[in-house]
Amino acid sequence: MNHWSPFRHNCGRGQNCHCILWNNEPAAESTMFTEVLLALVVGGVIYFLVQKSKRHQLKSEDGWWGEGTPPDREEDVSIRPYTVRTDKEELEDLYRRIDQTRSFPSLEDSQFTYGFNSQYLQNVVSYWRHDFDWRRQVEKLNKYPHYKTNIEGIDVHYVHVRPKNLPEGVTAVPLLMVHGWPGSFYEFYRMIPLLTQPSNPDDIVFEVVCPSIPGYCFSEAPHKKGFDSVCAARVFHKLMKRLGFQQFYAHGGDWGWIITTNMAQLEPKIIKGLHLNFAPPSKPGLPMVLSIMLGRHFPKMFGFNEHDIQRIYPVVQNLVVESVKESGYMHIQATKPDTVGRGLNDSPVGLAAYILEKFSTWTDHDFRNLDDGGLTRKFSLDDLLTNVMIYWTSGCIISSMRFYKENFSKGLDQPHSKMPVHVPTGFACFPNELMHTPKLWVQQKYCKLKTFTPMARGGHFAAMEEPELMAQDIQNFTKMQEKRMK
């Protein structure tokens, strides 16, 4: 609607002027309307971006996992040195239990297809009983500094290795490395010197922190239900802040994959870069479905290489049957972990069979067809039994298995499973990984995938099996990120 009003002007008639003119109110109102509209649009865009940012950041509230209720006092933030110990009584109890084990014959020509072959197990047990030197391995464990600190009511164990003799002007880059099941911090022992004392002067020097997931190894087990990967991620963020790190890189495989992924979702500005060697699709989307349907006939369309085709097809056999063959343990641990766990906690031989069978089949599924499971083709018995002894002496098998129930009992539709990761990510694709993940599938979750490296060899326990390859890929990814940020 137009507005008009009598408007005096200088026409020469002075006060007798009664000329009627259109005033300039419409222009003023139009300008004001435009400004208000522009402000609303800009405000709306800012609000959208803020909300979008919030959607990409996982939320988590502090917990209390200690016994009873939280004490009415200030949190103990002290960091205490820790030493792995053993004694005569511990070894005598172990030997007594080993000597009293009851064997049971495997089926003829069954190799490892029914599980750990009983005949070969006798060889492992004999070595364990008569040749394995646990005291010497304890010394090896203690060659790196161990610590404990209390976070959310439970003692968290970690190994913290600072580089020695840093050249002047060189700053170490902090790196958190998280293990999985049935592994431990010990998986990283051969990688640590490659990262903290690199032989190439052009390589990055890392300061490495390897925590034990609560309920694993020497970390205290949660005393309450509900401690899942997001809780572990929150606890490890608190650990790194307590150690004085404002930003750091993170690496993980197996459970370490989802814990470090959750860390990136919780605090994306704190994780400078995320490096993984395991990343099964959590929420299969349309690109993944189409790639499975059409990838065999149009591999280039989906970026599939020859190895991708070999690992994915035939789909029913490779993605369904193989998964069923190797996931029985998961169903048990995700439902009734305490039942089978009690038996394993009582029997060192049973525990060894249960754990070491994974180091056979998950390293190469063809090892199922070998009488010895191919165990010593990639690992030494000393290293394998050291990992078993960490579980045995800490009595952590039941609490480690509960981690499956805590994560799966909440369903597969948790907020973090639907949330993309916007932290720069590097992925090391080992050819014999338990679950193969082509580059396209990794990109569906990790929006800023910077490196994807098809590795020459290696399986699920890649850090322990191929420490040089893993360390080099972490180096390459971190170098790329550090240069980009300068």
Side-chain angles (χ1 to χ4, degrees):
M1 177 182 294
N2 288 327
H3 295 271
W4 60 273
S5 63
F7 181 72
R8 303 287 182 186
H9 68 115
N10 188 19
C11 64
R13 298 179 182 177
Q15 296 181 352
N16 296 320
C17 173
H18 294 284
C19 298
I20 297 175
L21 300 174
W22 295 106
N23 71 10
N24 60 353
E25 285 183 14
E29 289 190 2
S30 177
T31 301
M32 183 182 297
F33 177 77
T34 302
E35 290 175 351
V36 170
L37 181 62
L38 181 62
L40 288 173
V41 170
V42 171
V45 170
I46 293 173
Y47 178 81
F48 172 77
L49 293 174
V50 168
Q51 292 304 311
K52 184 179 180 182
S53 174
K54 287 182 178 179
R55 286 199 297 272
H56 290 159
Q57 190 164 344
L58 192 62
K59 300 299 180 184
S60 178
E61 296 182 358
D62 289 350
W64 172 263
W65 308 103
E67 293 184 87
T69 58
D72 188 18
R73 62 172 183 267
E74 268 192 48
E75 182 183 19
D76 178 9
V77 296
S78 63
I79 293 173
R80 311 180 305 277
Y82 175 77
T83 302
V84 183
R85 301 184 187 280
T86 190
D87 54 39
K88 181 181 178 182
E89 289 73 20
E90 183 176 70
L91 289 172
E92 286 179 348
D93 176 68
L94 171 69
Y95 295 152
R96 176 182 60 81
R97 291 171 186 263
I98 289 177
D99 291 341
Q100 292 179 352
T101 189
R102 295 190 302 171
S103 182
F104 193 84
S106 293
L107 294 173
E108 295 177 5
D109 196 33
S110 61
Q111 290 82 39
F112 268 61
T113 57
Y114 280 68
F116 205 107
N117 183 274
S118 185
Q119 184 175 343
Y120 184 66
L121 182 60
Q122 290 301 106
N123 296 342
V124 173
V125 170
S126 176
Y127 180 85
W128 192 5
R129 176 66 175 84
H130 302 291
D131 300 300
F132 178 72
D133 189 342
W134 174 233
R135 294 183 187 276
R136 185 179 66 186
Q137 294 305 107
V138 165
E139 291 179 5
K140 183 176 181 180
L141 292 177
N142 286 323
K143 76 175 181 177
Y144 297 127
H146 295 246
Y147 303 89
K148 284 189 177 184
T149 190
N150 195 275
I151 301 175
E152 297 192 2
I154 51 177
D155 280 345
V156 177
H157 160 264
Y158 63 98
V159 173
H160 187 180
V161 185
R162 298 173 176 86
K164 299 177 181 178
N165 305 318
L166 264 179
E168 188 175 348
V170 175
T171 303
V173 173
L175 171 67
L176 177 81
M177 298 198 293
V178 184
H179 65 89
W181 187 91
S184 65
F185 63 89
Y186 184 65
E187 291 178 66
F188 302 118
Y189 260 47
R190 288 170 60 200
M191 272 181 64
I192 288 174
L194 302 175
L195 296 169
T196 59
Q197 303 172 46
S199 57
N200 186 344
D202 295 326
D203 278 351
I204 288 173
V205 180
F206 291 92
E207 181 173 348
V208 174
V209 178
C210 301
S212 296
I213 301 170
Y216 285 70
C217 312
F218 305 120
S219 279
E220 185 179 352
H223 296 271
K224 294 174 173 57
K225 296 185 292 182
F227 189 92
D228 60 9
S229 63
V230 177
C231 299
R234 186 181 64 245
V235 165
F236 288 166
H237 263 302
K238 291 183 177 182
L239 170 65
M240 295 300 278
K241 287 175 184 176
R242 190 169 293 182
L243 295 177
F245 299 116
Q246 302 303 313
Q247 286 186 310
F248 55 91
Y249 287 84
H251 162 79
D254 196 87
W255 279 127
W257 143 69
I258 190 63
I259 292 172
T260 54
T261 293
N262 292 161
M263 292 181 75
Q265 293 168 323
L266 283 170
E267 302 272 10
K269 293 182 179 179
I270 289 179
I271 306 296
K272 295 177 72 175
L274 178 64
H275 187 272
L276 306 169
N277 61 284
F278 184 69
S282 52
K283 294 290 289 185
L286 183 60
M288 178 181 171
V289 173
L290 289 176
S291 71
I292 292 174
M293 293 173 60
L294 305 174
R296 190 170 198 171
H297 303 290
F298 306 100
K300 291 184 179 180
M301 181 184 298
F302 302 98
F304 285 177
N305 57 33
E306 186 176 341
H307 183 68
D308 294 327
I309 300 298
Q310 181 184 352
R311 288 297 307 270
I312 296 171
Y313 303 99
V315 172
V316 173
Q317 176 62 35
N318 287 6
L319 299 187
V320 180
V321 175
E322 280 298 322
S323 294
V324 171
K325 281 183 179 180
E326 295 303 325
S327 61
Y329 80 97
M330 186 186 299
H331 297 293
I332 293 173
Q333 295 175 191
T335 53
K336 303 291 182 64
D338 287 25
T339 304
V340 66
R342 185 58 189 267
L344 299 176
N345 196 51
D346 266 356
S347 169
V349 175
L351 180 68
Y354 197 71
I355 290 177
L356 295 184
E357 184 258 321
K358 305 307 178 193
F359 279 84
S360 165
T361 308
W362 293 1
T363 298
D364 189 328
H365 66 83
D366 287 338
F367 285 176
R368 289 181 299 215
N369 302 316
L370 301 176
D371 290 333
D372 63 357
L375 272 178
T376 55
R377 295 190 179 194
K378 295 289 187 175
F379 311 103
S380 70
L381 278 181
D382 279 348
D383 283 341
L384 291 171
L385 289 172
T386 296
N387 185 67
V388 172
M389 285 293 287
I390 289 171
Y391 275 78
W392 175 255
T393 57
S394 65
C396 74
I397 187 61
I398 296 175
S399 53
S400 73
M401 293 161 66
R402 285 175 182 165
F403 200 57
Y404 284 80
K405 184 172 179 65
E406 303 297 7
N407 282 282
F408 287 106
S409 64
K410 297 179 180 179
L412 302 177
D413 202 33
Q414 293 302 299
H416 67 80
S417 68
K418 299 174 285 186
M419 185 178 294
V421 175
H422 291 274
V423 167
T425 305
F427 188 79
C429 184
F430 286 87
N432 293 321
E433 178 54 83
L434 185 62
M435 297 181 67
H436 179 67
T437 314
K439 183 177 182 179
L440 174 69
W441 299 3
V442 178
Q443 287 174 317
Q444 301 310 299
K445 178 77 171 181
Y446 302 90
C447 303
K448 293 185 178 180
L449 184 66
K450 301 301 182 182
T451 63
F452 182 96
T453 312
M455 308 303 283
R457 57 191 177 275
H460 186 69
F461 302 98
M464 188 171 174
E465 179 189 350
E466 298 290 347
E468 291 84 4
L469 291 181
M470 184 74 87
Q472 189 58 56
D473 201 63
I474 292 175
Q475 277 282 354
N476 294 341
F477 167 68
T478 309
K479 283 179 183 177
M480 181 180 296
Q481 286 306 112
E482 291 294 298
K483 287 179 182 177
R484 184 178 288 113
M485 288 183 289
K486 286 181 179 178

